[in-house]
């Protein structure tokens, strides 16, 4: 796409990163208590400074052009050479309180930074980075508390030659945003430690992995439960032990029932060996008793589950073949049996249903429409979303927003991850190990991993009506430790995922843990 470049350039030094606008005279001519020209429609294409807006820095890189999100035009930042530019609007006469900026954005990526900020509002500046999305528009939000009756809305680029962003349809209104879940799955931890795994803080000091994660902002742990796994891990006893550690750190607990002795996912939903040959009626009892048994034991030791997944990535159902989606009345019965067991232990525990393929709008609709029409009871919707498998960020936002709105339930990312490098630490080939497998704009680096997690969290934060709960990382503690491979039946199996842990090959906490502190 060709981006015209205006030749007019301000005789100003390039905008320094983070420079506060208090150093600039307040543009009183534009001051108003409501956002002006948020859709950039007032001037058509090529406006030097869009009506209501001011510019600072390399102003030739900021302009309006055709191709809006809602209307005909948009704001763009682009230049043939490296540039720093800010497009901003100063609002005054505001009633103090909580506000939220909403914007639709696209970005080709590659910038040192590209973000929307709310600043000089009386408290700390609030920023949201623009996710890399070269085609589909993505909605982001920025919340702020106005305490001095004014606020500056700021669109910033610190870009390399040829980098571009598009911004459109900004609104600034009363409201708040944020996410309550900054979580991670740590199901691998107990076995890792038993096999000699070590976890270190960023300085290199060995310590408790949960304590390190908590100190970096993690507030929710996810633990999977297998019925009778071959290695004796991820079973009831192990979950009870780890749950004590989770709660001792002040974290909440999500228990993820696989209803299997092995991994359950869209391609495999094997019944536990102990349930083989059971009738459908007996399987409903099995689900109830197993769910109740684990959760009641957790409650008895003072570590009641805060959330429970009845099934793991159950796109095709669970407990095949009886609970396959080819027999929805039976699947519904099994799911409701699990729901009833959860509520019998603790009525306040949230029951979630979890699908993979978080960018698949039609598949997600089909599944939950079917569940709803068969009377399946649930409190929340969890989606796995891996960007290298499950569609674009725009696809993901569309699916997540639709699920929240269509079913009136809170939504969350049950699993996501990103590699911080491509090479393998053990002899087992990594599942994501080539540049071609990566999401465009997100390199396999600690910075790329950090960016991915923050951008996914921003999309969850932007779910309408505050229904975005947050994100669970998968899998924070699964480092390369001999004997802690993927297959519980094979002690020599390796780990194809250690390049997507939150601890590096030196066992140190990665700075990408900073995503836990996302709003």
């Amino acid at each position: 796409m060709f981006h015209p470049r205006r030749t007019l350039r301000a005789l100003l030094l390039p905008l320094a990163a983070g420079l506060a606008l208090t150093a600039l005279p307040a543009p009183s001519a534009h001051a108003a208590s409501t956002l002006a020209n948020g859709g950039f429609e007032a001037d058509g294409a090529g406006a030097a400074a869009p009506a209501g807006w001011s510019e600072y820095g390399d102003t030739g890189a900021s302009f309006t052009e055709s191709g809006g999100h809602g209307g005909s035009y948009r704001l763009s930042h682009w230049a043939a050479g490296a540039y720093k530019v800010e497009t901003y609007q100063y609002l005054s006469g505001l009633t103090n309180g909580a506000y939220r900026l909403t914007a639709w954005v696209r970005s080709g990526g590659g910038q040192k930074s590209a973000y929307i900020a709310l600043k000089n509002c009386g408290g700390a500046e609030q920023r949201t980075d623009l996710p890399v999305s070269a085609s589909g528009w993505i909605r982001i939000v920025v919340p702020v508390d106005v305490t001095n009756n004014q606020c500056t809305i700021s669109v910033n680029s610190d870009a390399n030659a040829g980098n571009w962003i598009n911004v459109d349809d900004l609104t600034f209104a009363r409201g708040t945003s944020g996410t309550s879940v900054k979580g991670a799955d740590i199901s691998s931890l107990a076995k890792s430690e038993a096999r000699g795994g070590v976890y270190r803080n960023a300085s290199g000091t060995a310590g408790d992995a949960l304590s390190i994660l908590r100190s970096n902002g993690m507030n929710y742990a996810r633990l999977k439960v297998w019925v009778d796994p071959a290695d004796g891990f991820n079973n009831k006893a192990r979950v009870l032990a780890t749950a004590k550690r989770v709660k001792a750190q002040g974290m909440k607990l999500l228990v993820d029932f696989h209803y299997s002795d092995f991994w359950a996912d869209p391609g495999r939903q094997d019944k536990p060996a102990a349930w083989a040959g059971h009738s459908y009626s007996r399987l409903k009892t099995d689900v109830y008793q197993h769910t109740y048994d684990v959760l009641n034991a957790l409650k008895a030791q003072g570590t009641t589950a805060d959330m429970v997944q009845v099934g793991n990535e159950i796109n095709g159902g669970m407990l095949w073949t009886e609970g396959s989606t080819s027999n929805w009345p039976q699947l519904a019965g099994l799911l409701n049996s699990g729901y009833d067991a959860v509520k019998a232990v603790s009525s306040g525990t949230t029951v979630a249903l979890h699908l993979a393929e978080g960018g698949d709008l039609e598949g997600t609709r089909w599944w939950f429409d079917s569940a709803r029409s068969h009377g399946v009871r649930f409190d929340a919707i969890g989606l796995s979303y891996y960007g290298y498998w499950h569609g674009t960020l725009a696809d993901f936002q569309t699916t997540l927003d639709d699920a929240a709105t269509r079913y009136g339930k809170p939504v969350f990312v049950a699993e996501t991850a990103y590699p911080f490098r491509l090479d393998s630490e053990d002899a087992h080939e990594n599942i994501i190990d080539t540049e071609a497998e990566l999401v465009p704009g997100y390199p396999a680096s600690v910075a790329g991993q950090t960016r991915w997690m923050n951008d996914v969290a921003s999309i969850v934060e932007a779910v309408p009506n505050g229904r975005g709960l947050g994100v669970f990382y998968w899998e924070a503690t699964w480092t390369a430790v001999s004997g802690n491979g993927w297959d519980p039946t094979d002690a020599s199996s390796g780990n194809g995922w250690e390049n997507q842990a939150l601890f590096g090959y030196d066992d140190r906490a990665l700075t990408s843990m900073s995503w836990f502190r996302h709003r």
Side-chain angles (χ1 to χ4, degrees):
M1 179 190 313
F2 175 69
H3 291 265
R5 182 187 182 205
R6 290 176 41 241
T7 56
L8 177 65
R9 302 184 68 84
L11 298 176
L12 293 168
L13 293 172
L15 179 62
L19 179 65
L21 276 176
T22 48
L24 300 175
S28 56
H30 294 161
S33 60
T34 55
L35 179 66
N37 194 24
F40 303 100
E41 297 295 307
D43 313 286
W53 296 85
S54 303
E55 297 172 337
Y56 184 64
D58 296 320
T59 59
S62 173
F63 50 88
T64 56
E65 63 179 344
S66 297
H69 166 260
S72 300
Y73 304 100
R74 66 195 184 205
L75 173 71
S76 294
H77 287 178
W78 176 87
Y83 63 94
K84 294 182 182 179
V85 70
E86 177 182 27
T87 309
Y88 66 94
Q89 186 169 152
Y90 168 74
L91 300 179
S92 64
L94 295 171
T95 301
N96 287 339
Y99 287 80
R100 181 177 62 236
L101 179 78
T102 302
W104 288 89
V105 301
R106 298 192 301 192
S107 171
Q111 301 91 346
K112 297 172 188 173
S113 63
Y115 61 91
I116 297 180
L118 297 176
K119 56 188 184 179
N120 301 322
C121 310
E125 177 179 327
Q126 298 294 318
R127 294 183 179 183
T128 301
D129 291 331
L130 271 63
V132 180
S133 179
S135 54
W137 290 90
I138 291 175
R139 186 183 61 258
I140 60 173
V141 295
V142 193
V144 76
D145 285 322
V146 174
T147 58
N148 61 354
N149 305 112
Q150 65 185 25
C151 196
T152 298
I153 297 165
S154 172
V155 181
N156 285 264
S157 293
D158 182 354
N160 298 302
N163 294 161
W164 61 270
I165 66 170
N166 301 149
V167 178
D168 203 3
D169 293 339
L170 289 90
T171 59
F172 185 72
R174 298 301 290 268
T176 60
S177 71
T179 55
S180 58
V181 174
K182 289 92 171 177
D185 196 301
I186 54 161
S187 298
S188 66
L189 179 60
K191 188 174 180 179
S192 173
E193 292 171 335
R195 300 293 183 266
V198 175
Y199 298 88
R200 303 180 185 276
N201 64 19
S203 301
T205 303
D208 177 67
L210 274 173
S211 177
I212 293 167
L213 288 160
R214 183 71 183 96
S215 68
N216 280 278
M218 177 173 152
N219 67 5
Y220 222 124
R222 179 179 186 253
L223 295 173
K224 71 170 172 273
V225 188
W226 286 333
V227 176
D228 188 19
D231 63 358
F233 287 86
N234 301 118
N235 58 12
K236 174 187 171 183
R238 300 287 186 174
V239 167
L240 286 169
T242 304
K244 285 185 178 180
R245 296 171 60 185
V246 167
K247 293 285 187 166
Q249 291 290 339
M251 296 188 198
K252 291 187 174 181
L253 174 65
L254 166 58
V255 178
D256 171 18
F257 284 94
H258 283 229
Y259 301 110
S260 179
D261 297 333
F262 196 76
W263 302 97
D265 56 43
R268 184 168 184 169
Q269 295 280 337
D270 300 336
K271 285 192 286 285
W275 303 359
H278 286 190
S279 66
Y280 167 65
S281 177
R282 177 69 186 277
L283 287 172
K284 283 199 295 182
T285 302
D286 292 332
V287 167
Y288 186 96
Q289 291 179 341
H290 171 61
T291 305
Y292 186 94
D293 179 49
V294 173
L295 296 179
N296 196 50
L298 284 166
K299 180 181 178 181
Q301 70 172 15
T303 60
T304 301
D306 299 282
M307 191 187 305
V308 169
Q309 283 179 218
V310 177
N312 187 77
E313 294 191 333
I314 51 175
N315 300 60
M318 65 185 200
L319 294 168
W320 288 348
T321 56
E322 286 81 358
S324 162
T325 50
S326 63
N327 191 334
W328 262 104
Q330 290 194 173
L331 174 57
L334 293 169
L335 293 172
N336 282 337
S337 187
Y339 178 94
D340 290 342
V342 176
K343 297 298 184 177
V345 173
S346 169
S347 61
T349 296
T350 299
V351 178
L353 298 180
H354 171 211
L355 300 187
E357 301 174 24
D360 180 7
L361 174 64
E362 293 308 315
T364 303
R365 274 186 176 179
W366 171 82
W367 200 96
F368 279 100
D369 281 359
S370 299
R372 188 168 59 179
S373 68
H374 286 90
V376 175
R377 298 187 294 279
F378 61 98
D379 305 319
I381 293 172
L383 299 176
S384 292
Y385 174 63
Y386 296 101
Y388 34 73
W389 294 328
H390 295 158
T392 66
L393 286 166
D395 293 335
F396 167 57
Q397 180 168 71
T398 298
T399 306
L400 196 68
D401 289 355
D402 184 78
T405 302
R406 190 176 181 90
Y407 309 107
K409 302 289 187 182
V411 294
F412 64 97
V413 178
E415 298 179 18
T416 190
Y418 208 76
F420 61 90
R421 58 196 291 172
L422 292 174
D423 61 315
S424 182
E425 188 181 3
D426 63 11
H428 192 77
E429 181 182 2
N430 288 336
I431 291 173
I432 302 297
D433 64 350
T434 67
E435 294 282 349
E437 292 171 307
L438 299 175
V439 179
Y442 296 88
S445 63
V446 175
Q449 185 184 54
T450 308
R451 179 77 182 275
W452 177 260
M453 290 308 300
N454 276 312
D455 290 351
V456 168
S458 292
I459 287 172
V460 179
E461 182 187 15
V463 171
N465 299 309
R467 289 196 175 112
L469 292 180
V471 181
F472 288 92
Y473 193 85
W474 198 91
E475 212 263 23
T477 57
W478 198 15
T479 54
V481 175
S482 180
N484 192 23
W486 70 272
D487 187 349
T489 71
D490 180 4
S492 67
S493 62
N495 180 356
W497 207 261
E498 76 271 14
N499 66 325
Q500 301 194 64
L502 293 181
F503 291 85
Y505 289 5
D506 59 0
D507 300 324
R508 294 189 184 201
L510 298 172
T511 57
S512 45
M513 285 188 191
S514 63
W515 86 263
F516 286 125
R517 300 199 183 278
H518 193 279
R519 281 185 303 271

